[in-house]
C-alpha cells in the first residue's frame, strides 16, 4: 500500500514536470540567436540592442538612462480615476501620451526638459514595430539594467497608444508639500509607502531645470549606481530655500554639487513616510525588490495586465551592487536629522579623505 502511494506521488511529480516544461517551451527567434517563451517578445531583443548602441552608450548608466526612467513616471502618473469618474479626461496612464503629444505635455511645468529624451528616443522607436506606450517602458527597463545594483524590471507588450494628451497638473512637482504630493499619488493608486518605493528611482537621478544654473546635478553622490545612498544623504541636515525663485523646489545639501528636492527632503521627515524612508538605508535587497514592485505597478497604470504579454525575460540581469552604504567624507551619524521615531538610524562607516564635491552627470 505504501509502495503504491509512493508510486502515485512519483508519477504525479513526473506529470507536473512534463506539464511545466510544456508551459515554458521556448520558441526560436528569427534573429537566430535568441529564444523566448512568446514569439511576440522576439522583436524586443533587436530593440534592446538598438537602444544600447544608439542611446545608452553600450551599457552605460548615465543621463539618457536617468531621463528614460523619468519619462516613464511622467507618462504613467498622469492618470486620475477621480477625474475620469466625473466624466473628464483623467489621462490614460502608461499610454505614451507624453511622447505622442510631446508639444503639449513636455511644456507642462512638471515635465520641462523631457522633450530632449523624447527626441533622442524617437529615431529608435521609428525603426521598430512597437507602440510608443510599450517603447517608453521598455527603454527604461533596458537602461536601468545597465546600473550596478538595479533590479531586473518587468516589461509588457500590448498597450494601445494614447489618442489624446493627459491634462496638466497630474505630475507632482518638487516643491509640492507632502499633503499635496501624497494626495496626488493616492489618486493614481500609490499609498505613502509605495510612493517611497517609487522614489528609489532618485538613486540614479539628476536635475537640469530645477535650478537651470547647475544642470546635471545629481540627487546623491553615486548617480551611476543603483544603491541606497539617496536614502542616506536626504536625511543629512539641509537648509530649505525660500519657496520661490530659481531655487524653488530645492534644498541646500551639505554635499557640494548635490541637489536635494524639497519634496524628497520633506517626505524623508514626514511621519507617514520617514520610517519607510529610513528602512532603505544599507538595505540593498529592499531597494531592489521594492522598486521592482513599484515600477511594475507604474507601468500598468491605465492598463489591464490580462491584455498584455509578459516579456520580462528579455531584460538582461543587471550588474551586481558596486558600493557599500556609507557617509560621504567628513560626515557621520551626528549629521543625520533623525525623523523615524521608532528605529535608530543605522551606524555606517565614513569615507576616508577630505570632503569632496559631487561631480555633475555629464550630458549625453
Amino acid at each position: 500500500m505504501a509502495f503504491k502511494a509512493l508510486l502515485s506521488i512519483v508519477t504525479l511529480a513526473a506529470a507536473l514536470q512534463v506539464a511545466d516544461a510544456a508551459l515554458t517551451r521556448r520558441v526560436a527567434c528569427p534573429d537566430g540567436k535568441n529564444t523566448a517563451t512568446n514569439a511576440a517578445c522576439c522583436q524586443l531583443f533587436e530593440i534592446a540592442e538598438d537602444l544600447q548602441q544608439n542611446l545608452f552608450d553600450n551599457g552605460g548608466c548615465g543621463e539618457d538612462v536617468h531621463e528614460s526612467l523619468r519619462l516613464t513616471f511622467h507618462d504613467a502618473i498622469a492618470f486620475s480615476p477621480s477625474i475620469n469618474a466625473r466624466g473628464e479626461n483623467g489621462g490614460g496612464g502608461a499610454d505614451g501620451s507624453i511622447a505622442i503629444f510631446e508639444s503639449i505635455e513636455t511644456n507642462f511645468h512638471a515635465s520641462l526638459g523631457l522633450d530632449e529624451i523624447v527626441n533622442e528616443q524617437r529615431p529608435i522607436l521609428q525603426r521598430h514595430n512597437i507602440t510608443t506606450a510599450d517603447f517608453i517602458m521598455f527603454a527604461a527597463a533596458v537602461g536601468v539594467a545597465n546600473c550596478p545594483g538595479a533590479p531586473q524590471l518587468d516589461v509588457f507588450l500590448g498597450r494601445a497608444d494614447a489618442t489624446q494628451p493627459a491634462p496638466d497638473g497630474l505630475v507632482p512637482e518638487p516643491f509640492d508639500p507632502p499633503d499635496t504630493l501624497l494626495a496626488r499619488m493616492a489618486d493614481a493608486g500609490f499609498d505613502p509607502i509605495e510612493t517611497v518605493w517609487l522614489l528609489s528611482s532618485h538613486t540614479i537621478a539628476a536635475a537640469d531645470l530645477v535650478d537651470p544654473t547647475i544642470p546635471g546635478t545629481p540627487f546623491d553622490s553615486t548617480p551611476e549606481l543603483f544603491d541606497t545612498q539617496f536614502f542616506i544623504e536626504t536625511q543629512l541636515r539641509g537648509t530649505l530655500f525660500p519657496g520661490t525663485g530659481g531655487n524653488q523646489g530645492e534644498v541646500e545639501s551639505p554635499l557640494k554639487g548635490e541637489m536635494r528636492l524639497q519634496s524628497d527632503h520633506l517626505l524623508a521627515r514626514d511621519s507617514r513616510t520617514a520610517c519607510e524612508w529610513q528602512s532603505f538605508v544599507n538595505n540593498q535587497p529592499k531597494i531592489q525588490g521594492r522598486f521592482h514592485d513599484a515600477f511594475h505597478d507604474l507601468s500598468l497604470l491605465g492598463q489591464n495586465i490580462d491584455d498584455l504579454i509578459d516579456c520580462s525575460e528579455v531584460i538582461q540581469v543587471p550588474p551586481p551592487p558596486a558600493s557599500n552604504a556609507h557617509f560621504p567624507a567628513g560626515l557621520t551619524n551626528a549629521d543625520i536629522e533623525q525623523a523615524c521615531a521608532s528605529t535608530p538610524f543605522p551606524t555606517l562607516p565614513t569615507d576616508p579623505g577630505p570632503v569632496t564635491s559631487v561631480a555633475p552627470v555629464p550630458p549625453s
Side-chain angles (χ1 to χ4, degrees):
M1 188 66 141
F3 175 77
K4 288 184 178 180
L6 177 61
L7 182 61
S8 297
I9 292 171
V10 171
T11 302
L12 177 61
L16 289 173
Q17 288 178 343
V18 171
D20 185 60
L23 287 172
T24 58
R25 186 176 294 124
R26 304 180 70 81
V27 298
C29 294
D31 63 9
K33 299 184 295 183
N34 296 292
T35 62
T37 53
N38 191 307
C41 302
C42 285
Q43 63 169 321
L44 295 181
F45 291 106
E46 180 182 354
I47 302 174
E49 186 174 344
D50 198 348
L51 283 162
Q52 294 287 22
Q53 291 179 354
N54 297 298
L55 187 63
F56 299 140
D57 298 323
N58 292 310
C61 182
E63 184 184 33
D64 287 324
V65 171
H66 306 168
E67 289 298 290
S68 293
L69 183 55
R70 180 184 175 220
L71 187 66
T72 65
F73 178 77
H74 286 244
D75 183 44
I77 206 66
F79 173 73
S80 175
S82 66
I83 294 178
N84 281 328
R86 299 197 298 268
E88 308 167 47
N89 171 34
D95 62 359
S97 66
I98 196 166
I100 297 167
F101 300 98
E102 173 203 351
S103 62
I104 297 173
E105 290 196 35
T106 63
N107 280 308
F108 296 161
H109 188 268
S111 298
L112 292 176
L114 281 172
D115 58 314
E116 293 182 11
I117 191 63
V118 168
N119 290 324
E120 289 179 16
Q121 288 186 357
R122 183 173 287 114
I124 301 172
L125 169 63
Q126 292 175 340
R127 288 195 285 270
H128 302 282
N129 183 26
I130 184 173
T131 66
T132 302
D134 286 340
F135 180 81
I136 286 175
M137 291 296 165
F138 180 67
V142 170
V144 169
N146 293 339
C147 304
Q152 186 179 19
L153 299 177
D154 295 339
V155 292
F156 299 91
L157 281 182
R159 299 175 188 82
D161 277 341
T163 58
Q164 57 184 335
D168 197 1
L170 294 181
V171 179
E173 297 263 23
F175 50 79
D176 284 343
D179 285 350
T180 300
L181 189 151
L182 293 176
R184 169 78 276 272
M185 295 300 293
D187 183 40
F190 294 90
D191 66 25
I193 301 303
E194 293 164 332
T195 298
V196 175
W197 299 356
L198 267 177
L199 287 170
S200 298
S201 64
H202 283 184
T203 186
I204 53 168
D208 288 329
L209 296 178
V210 173
D211 185 343
T213 66
I214 47 172
T217 306
F219 296 159
D220 76 5
S221 58
T222 56
E224 75 287 358
L225 303 177
F226 201 99
D227 60 15
T228 67
Q229 286 304 120
F230 167 72
F231 290 102
I232 298 167
E233 293 166 22
T234 47
Q235 292 181 83
L236 295 168
R237 288 186 174 84
T239 304
L240 279 167
F241 283 109
T244 58
N247 301 115
Q248 188 177 18
E250 184 186 349
V251 177
E252 185 178 17
S253 170
L255 291 178
K256 185 178 180 181
E258 179 178 294
M259 177 180 292
R260 186 183 306 172
L261 298 183
Q262 177 177 307
S263 53
D264 290 340
H265 177 90
L266 294 176
L267 287 175
R269 291 154 177 78
D270 190 278
S271 61
R272 293 164 289 188
T273 48
C275 287
E276 185 66 13
W277 197 280
Q278 182 179 292
S279 73
F280 282 93
V281 172
N282 199 21
N283 193 338
Q284 188 68 27
K286 180 166 185 176
I287 195 175
Q288 290 173 317
R290 295 298 180 264
F291 185 68
H292 168 276
D293 296 345
F295 183 85
H296 174 276
D297 292 347
L298 180 78
S299 74
L300 295 175
L301 283 180
Q303 306 294 326
N304 183 345
I305 193 172
D306 294 333
D307 297 333
L308 305 179
I309 300 168
D310 187 346
C311 294
S312 304
E313 62 184 339
V314 174
I315 301 301
Q316 69 181 21
V317 176
S323 66
N324 296 313
H326 60 273
F327 288 114
L331 299 169
T332 68
N333 277 70
D335 296 292
I336 289 294
E337 188 173 15
Q338 178 71 32
C340 177
S342 60
T343 308
F345 194 88
T347 299
L348 302 173
T350 295
D351 273 359
V355 177
T356 57
S357 177
V358 181
V361 174
S364 57

